[in-house]
Amino acid sequence: MNGLIERIAVPFTGDGSGEGPLSWGQQSIWKEMAISGSSLALGAVRDLEPGATVDQYVEEYRFYLSRYQSMRTLLRFGPDGGVTQVVRDSGTAHIEVYDAADRDPAAVAAEVSAQYYFVPFDYEREWPMRMALVRQAGALTHLVVAISHHVADPTAAMAMFEDLTSRDPVTGEPPRPPGLQPLEQAQLQQTPSALRQNEAALRYWQTQLQALPSPRLPQPAGDAAAEHRYWELDLLSPALYRALRAVAARLGVTTTPVLYAAYAEALGHAAGTTRVATMITVNSRFRPGLADAAGHMSHHGLCTLDLADGGFDDLVVLARRRLLAAHKHAYYSQVDLDRIIAEVSRERGVSFDHLCLFNNRRSEDGPIETVPTAADVRAAGPTTLEWRELPDLHKPLMVHINDADDALSVRAQLNTTAISRDDLTALLRRMEATVVDAALA
């Protein structure tokens, strides 16, 4: 884009090198990247303090590249479609510098960030982390960072930044050694205990897939699908946030099964089925030895829920059990699972590649110290909804749950050939109303 004035070389060296297969987490996200044709990059734009210097960010970039093998990993593609990760112990990266001139530097930084997101990485030749600086009148104003999703998930990216900011002021050393690197993960995943886990996960998936109804969303009426195809809806609900906590406290559970039960009920109502299946995002760092693992450690779990019997409280208790089962069996070889999915799809004549995704991104979901009352729920502020167009989307429906200030943020992304905007709005409103009614009952 216009405004690029300089590329600053950042040579680096680090411990460890080698090559091997992708780890299970890398396999999982690589499949999503290949389907979407995107690096699904994690991005951040940081406002810089007055007096910031280029040398500070050369040092920051070198820190990441030197410390984390995942940040100096390239990929090699075999003629059979196989992917190998190749970790280098040295190399040279570059920081791009953009001059905002008479433009708003924040707008320039946003443009660079968008370009970094939408232009796929060159996986065989480009380091999987991009960094840029924006300046105006000779002063640095913004830092832009993007990381290809196959080498990091949000937890790993945040841990990297925390390592940087918590270094000893004298020695410059972080307070902990780097976590288990992807090459080491791939090696451990070939041990007998890991292979037993993989086989158990595959059996679970096969059993669940064989019992599922054909996955369908309500078909858009008329020419609804003829409009712009990809949309994003942000729902911000103070009432849902308070009601979730009230219901969870009453039932002695966390808020996640309450929200998932309400979402599954609304999805089942929309699809006209009493057996709902969704993909969920599972961070596998809860497993022994993986708490500080580096790289991408998220997998998709398969959660199935029967809606037919009992009231909402019973559905929440059942959702908790089914979510736990999905988490337990969400650590597997994606290559092996794809084979199972293909086999079941051929047997049943249906496709399971487009199940809806429920992604709980909230940082905490622990005990509730202050339980909202019915009056608190009634006094909550109004729910807001905001639509925006998306350039592309690789699933029919994705629902992301995020932290917000005294509210619950639900970001839903849809393909209008699968579900209309009106039907999605009704689905989320039903989910909200279900939890609020349960809190007020």
Side-chain angles (χ1 to χ4, degrees):
M1 61 174 285
N2 295 332
L4 175 61
I5 59 171
E6 188 178 2
R7 297 182 77 243
I8 300 170
V10 183
F12 63 86
T13 59
D15 293 334
S17 63
E19 59 183 68
L22 298 183
S23 69
W24 291 348
Q26 289 174 317
Q27 290 178 15
S28 178
I29 193 60
W30 179 254
K31 177 183 178 180
E32 299 297 311
M33 292 165 60
I35 292 172
S36 67
S38 166
S39 298
L40 303 177
L42 307 175
V45 176
R46 195 190 315 166
D47 295 342
L48 302 184
E49 297 291 334
T53 67
V54 169
D55 287 346
Q56 287 177 251
Y57 301 101
V58 168
E59 155 65 15
E60 179 173 332
Y61 200 9
R62 183 180 287 117
F63 171 81
Y64 294 136
L65 291 160
S66 299
R67 178 172 170 80
Y68 302 101
Q69 293 180 14
S70 53
M71 293 300 105
R72 40 191 165 88
T73 296
L74 303 176
L75 299 181
R76 187 170 66 236
F77 303 97
D80 61 349
V83 185
T84 299
Q85 58 173 319
V86 182
V87 178
R88 306 293 190 195
D89 59 8
S90 63
T92 300
H94 292 84
I95 295 178
E96 296 186 328
V97 182
Y98 292 83
D99 196 298
D102 57 355
R103 299 184 59 201
D104 178 2
V108 174
E111 288 179 9
V112 175
S113 182
Q115 174 181 266
Y116 277 5
Y117 179 86
F118 288 112
V119 176
F121 282 73
D122 181 349
Y123 307 108
E124 295 179 281
R125 286 167 283 275
E126 181 185 3
W127 305 115
M129 183 177 196
R130 293 169 174 166
M131 186 175 284
L133 292 165
V134 177
R135 75 182 191 189
Q136 188 173 55
L140 298 180
T141 61
H142 294 82
L143 174 72
V144 181
V145 178
I147 305 174
S148 180
H149 212 351
H150 74 286
V151 297
D153 55 23
T155 302
M158 184 59 68
M160 288 168 52
F161 185 67
E162 290 174 354
D163 282 352
L164 174 81
T165 56
S166 60
R167 290 179 297 174
D168 185 280
V170 177
T171 66
E173 288 297 314
R176 58 188 178 189
L180 196 67
Q181 300 295 314
L183 265 182
E184 299 171 303
Q185 295 167 28
Q187 293 169 356
L188 287 176
Q189 286 157 357
Q190 298 307 309
T191 60
S193 61
L195 294 176
R196 287 192 295 271
Q197 161 65 35
N198 186 49
E199 288 301 319
L202 297 180
R203 287 194 298 271
Y204 167 86
W205 277 76
Q206 185 169 30
T207 301
Q208 297 301 316
L209 290 172
Q210 288 173 335
L212 287 185
S214 178
R216 297 196 181 282
L217 287 166
Q219 294 301 300
D223 62 352
E227 60 174 89
H228 181 80
R229 288 182 61 181
Y230 309 112
W231 290 87
E232 183 172 82
L233 171 61
D234 277 338
L235 179 146
L236 190 67
S237 175
L240 181 53
Y241 172 74
R242 297 180 185 184
L244 273 176
R245 296 166 63 223
V247 175
R250 176 167 58 81
L251 297 179
V253 299
T254 63
T255 59
T256 294
V258 180
L259 185 63
Y260 186 80
Y263 172 71
E265 191 281 332
L267 186 62
H269 176 81
T273 180
T274 58
R275 185 170 174 82
V276 174
T278 67
M279 307 287 274
I280 63 171
T281 302
V282 177
N283 184 341
S284 295
R285 290 181 176 84
F286 69 90
R287 296 182 174 278
L290 299 182
D292 297 321
H296 192 281
M297 287 296 296
S298 295
H299 295 73
H300 284 155
L302 176 61
C303 188
T304 60
L305 195 59
D306 291 308
L307 310 175
D309 299 327
F312 183 68
D313 286 5
D314 295 326
L315 188 61
V316 170
V317 175
L318 178 60
R320 181 178 181 273
R321 292 203 303 268
R322 299 309 304 158
L323 287 167
L324 288 172
H327 277 72
K328 178 182 177 181
H329 298 102
Y331 190 54
Y332 51 79
S333 163
Q334 186 68 52
V335 174
D336 293 343
L337 179 59
D338 286 346
R339 174 176 48 80
I340 296 293
I341 292 174
E343 290 174 358
V344 178
S345 296
R346 284 194 301 270
E347 292 171 4
R348 299 195 51 201
V350 297
S351 172
F352 300 103
D353 288 339
H354 299 294
L355 287 167
C356 303
L357 176 67
F358 183 86
N359 181 14
N360 184 11
R361 293 171 166 170
R362 290 176 295 169
S363 58
E364 293 185 7
D365 191 14
I368 298 165
E369 297 180 358
T370 304
V371 180
T373 65
D376 293 331
V377 176
R378 292 191 183 96
T383 297
T384 61
L385 297 99
E386 180 181 351
W387 285 98
R388 66 182 65 85
E389 294 184 5
L390 292 176
D392 199 2
L393 190 66
H394 63 289
K395 287 188 179 298
L397 176 61
M398 295 195 290
V399 174
H400 308 281
I401 312 301
N402 299 293
D403 292 312
D405 292 333
D406 198 29
L408 193 79
S409 168
V410 181
R411 171 165 291 181
Q413 300 165 323
L414 77 152
N415 182 334
T416 58
T417 63
I419 182 172
S420 72
R421 293 169 64 189
D422 287 344
D423 282 336
L424 177 63
T425 302
L427 190 158
L428 296 186
R429 283 296 201 179
R430 184 182 179 93
M431 176 184 77
E432 177 187 44
T434 296
V435 180
V436 170
D437 289 348
L440 299 179

